[in-house]
Amino acid sequence: MSAAITICETPRLRLRTVTPDDAAFYLELVNDPSWIANIGQRNLHTVEAARAALEAGPMAQFRTHGYSLYIIERRSDGTPVGMAGLVRRDSLPGPDIGYAVRPAHWGQGYAWEAAAAIVRHAQHVLRLPTLYGITSQQNQASIKLLNKLGLRYERFSRLPPDGKETNIYRKDFRLD
């Protein structure tokens, strides 16, 4: 199994690369009703399928692009609380920020703390010129978080592959 790489840390959280050992956590996360409602159905029903999805998704994106979705874990005890990071989609001209926190950990500021760390990483480490965010029109919590991160509404779209109605947000970075 590959060792995790720490991408960044905040006072309470560590964001690290995904490993095959995260499959059971990922399986629980993607089958949570809040994930299905706001992100979509992944049709993963076994740890083996979750492991394959991690290897084909975040792990492959990290190898190809140098960024991906990361595991958010509490620094105090190593408990995984969610995922956050950058996703490269063919339907957008640049990476978009993604985040999901298990409902048991909602209301503690973890999504904000992790997402803000990802924005800083995108700007100062990866030196990306632009960061995108996508969310459904109904996901008010995500819209509020994207705005708090400095992303502004750009347009409405139906993104492939499923044509799901999506608001697209954007933040341009000054790279001096």
Side-chain angles (χ1 to χ4, degrees), residues 74-136:
R74 285 193 305 229
R75 290 178 63 182
S76 62
D77 61 6
T79 298
V81 300
M83 294 180 81
L86 301 170
V87 178
R88 188 69 188 102
R89 302 172 201 275
D90 293 338
S91 55
L92 291 173
D96 69 273
I97 187 168
Y99 41 83
V101 172
R102 293 289 315 271
H105 303 287
W106 287 359
Q108 299 176 49
Y110 291 150
W112 157 252
E113 192 171 325
I118 291 298
V119 170
R120 287 188 302 272
H121 182 74
Q123 181 179 12
H124 300 294
V125 177
L126 299 174
R127 302 197 45 81
L128 297 175
T130 304
L131 180 63
Y132 292 87
I134 62 173
T135 190
S136 70

Side-chain angles (χ1 to χ4, degrees), residues 11 17 19 25 30 34-35 37 40-41 46 89 98 112 114 121-122 128 142:
T17 56
T19 73
F25 172 75
V30 302
S34 64
W35 177 290
Q41 177 62 258
T46 66
R89 302 172 201 275
W112 157 252
H121 182 74
L128 297 175
S142 189

